[in-house]
């Protein structure tokens, strides 16, 4: 029996989605973020030393990292979600599998951290200093990095139905989390209509909706706040 350790409002939501797409039997073990710190609970450290989700257990195998889990599940149970290994499309799949977390997600996480820093309670005389630092980094680096990545993905999807072309694949599942996160910023959603429509396309899949019902609260899902 497959077990998935899932943390609410996290990347592990897309692993539930993949399990639903593959119609596999699995046990979902839920962990809730600490309401005060918004961090993962200590219970996850009993599963994996880093105390993060997702963690997949399949018989004797214990696997962390979303990309590795998606690749494992697709190769073992869902070849229909992968291109032929002898085709050029295989390396497109490998590229997007790594791109999602290696290139697209880091500047989005940075933006989230800065948003939290700006929203944190601090003495009034410190607030202008914090705002000036954040605005300076945003102007000099972060804004350009985020829009460079979003433009790249939007250009790619302008001539593709899905990440790998005409057919839905495991690459779409890996790419879902950063694009959902990005499209919950109203200005970015307005600036990138193709990315917005792609996310809506993802969120309309029956397996996605089943996963959402099973996973519980999901900050980047439909009808939620970023």
């Amino acid at each position: 029996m497959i077990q998935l350790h899932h943390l609410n409002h996290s990347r592990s939501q897309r692993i539930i989605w993949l399990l639903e797409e593959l119609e596999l039997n699995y046990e979902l073990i839920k962990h809730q973020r600490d309401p005060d710190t918004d961090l993962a609970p200590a219970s996850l450290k009993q599963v994996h030393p880093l105390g993060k989700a997702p963690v997949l257990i399949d018989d004797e195998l214990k696997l962390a990292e979303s990309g590795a889990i998606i690749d494992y599940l697709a190769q073992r149970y869902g070849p229909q979600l992968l291109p032929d290994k002898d085709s050029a499309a295989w390396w497109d799949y490998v590229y997007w599998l790594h791109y999602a977390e290696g290139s697209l997600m880091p500047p989005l996480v940075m933006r989230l951290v800065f948003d939290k820093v700006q929203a944190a309670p601090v003495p009034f005389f410190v607030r202008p200093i914090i705002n000036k630092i954040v605005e300076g980094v945003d102007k000099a680096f972060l804004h350009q990095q985020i829009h460079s990545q979003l433009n790249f993905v939007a250009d790619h999807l302008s001539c593709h139905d899905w990440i790998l072309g005409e057919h839905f694949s495991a690459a779409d599942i890996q790419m879902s989390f950063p694009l959902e996160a990005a499209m919950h910023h109203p200005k970015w959603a307005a600036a990138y209509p193709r990315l917005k429509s792609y996310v809506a396309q993802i969120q309309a899949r029956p397996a996605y909706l089943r996963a959402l019902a099973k996973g519980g609260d999901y900050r980047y899902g439909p009808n939620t706040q970023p």
Side-chain angles (χ1 to χ4, degrees):
M1 166 70 78
I2 294 173
Q3 291 182 326
L4 175 64
H5 287 266
H6 165 64
L7 178 65
N8 64 318
H9 304 315
S10 81
R11 293 163 168 83
S12 57
Q13 181 64 36
R14 59 187 163 183
I15 308 302
I16 306 176
W17 175 22
L18 176 55
L19 290 166
E20 290 294 323
E21 288 281 355
L22 297 176
E23 299 182 342
L24 296 173
N25 293 321
Y26 63 96
E27 178 186 2
L28 184 62
I29 303 168
K30 296 182 179 181
H31 302 263
Q32 297 296 314
R33 292 182 181 275
D34 184 293
D36 296 322
T37 65
D38 204 34
L39 299 177
S43 60
L44 266 172
K45 287 193 175 180
Q46 298 173 13
V47 182
H48 189 279
L50 292 179
K52 295 184 178 182
V55 177
L56 184 90
I57 300 173
D58 189 8
D59 294 328
E60 300 299 316
L61 176 70
K62 181 185 287 187
L63 197 59
E65 292 295 336
S66 298
I69 293 170
I70 287 173
D71 198 28
Y72 167 75
L73 288 173
Q75 291 206 46
R76 181 165 184 181
Y77 298 107
Q80 69 273 21
L81 295 183
L82 296 174
D84 191 311
K85 282 191 174 181
D86 293 327
S87 69
W90 174 261
W91 294 108
D92 289 338
Y93 158 71
V94 171
Y95 172 79
W96 291 105
L97 189 72
H98 292 281
Y99 169 82
E101 294 292 337
S103 294
L104 179 55
M105 199 64 202
L108 297 177
V109 170
M110 241 179 122
R111 176 72 270 167
L112 177 63
V113 169
F114 279 143
D115 287 345
K116 288 188 174 182
V117 167
Q118 286 187 297
V122 295
F124 74 92
F125 55 87
V126 176
R127 175 67 59 198
I129 299 173
I130 291 176
N131 289 341
K132 190 172 183 62
I133 292 172
V134 170
E135 289 167 7
V137 173
D138 193 37
K139 183 177 180 181
F141 171 76
L142 197 52
H143 178 86
Q144 180 181 356
Q145 283 294 311
I146 289 172
H147 287 283
S148 176
Q149 300 297 337
L150 294 180
N151 278 320
F152 172 67
V153 182
D155 286 347
H156 176 76
L157 286 171
S158 68
C159 53
H160 296 85
D161 293 332
W162 299 98
I163 289 295
L164 296 187
E166 295 181 2
H167 303 291
F168 174 81
S169 73
D172 294 290
I173 293 177
Q174 176 72 339
M175 285 289 291
S176 64
F177 186 84
L179 291 179
E180 284 184 301
M183 291 301 99
H184 272 77
H185 285 260
K187 289 183 179 180
W188 298 350
Y192 297 97
R194 177 61 185 109
L195 297 184
K196 184 179 179 180
S197 68
Y198 172 76
V199 167
Q201 187 176 305
I202 277 172
Q203 293 175 343
R205 291 184 69 84
Y208 180 98
L209 296 172
R210 293 197 303 271
L212 202 62
K214 291 186 178 182
D217 292 342
Y218 180 43
R219 189 167 293 145
Y220 296 132
N223 302 320
T224 59
Q225 297 300 315

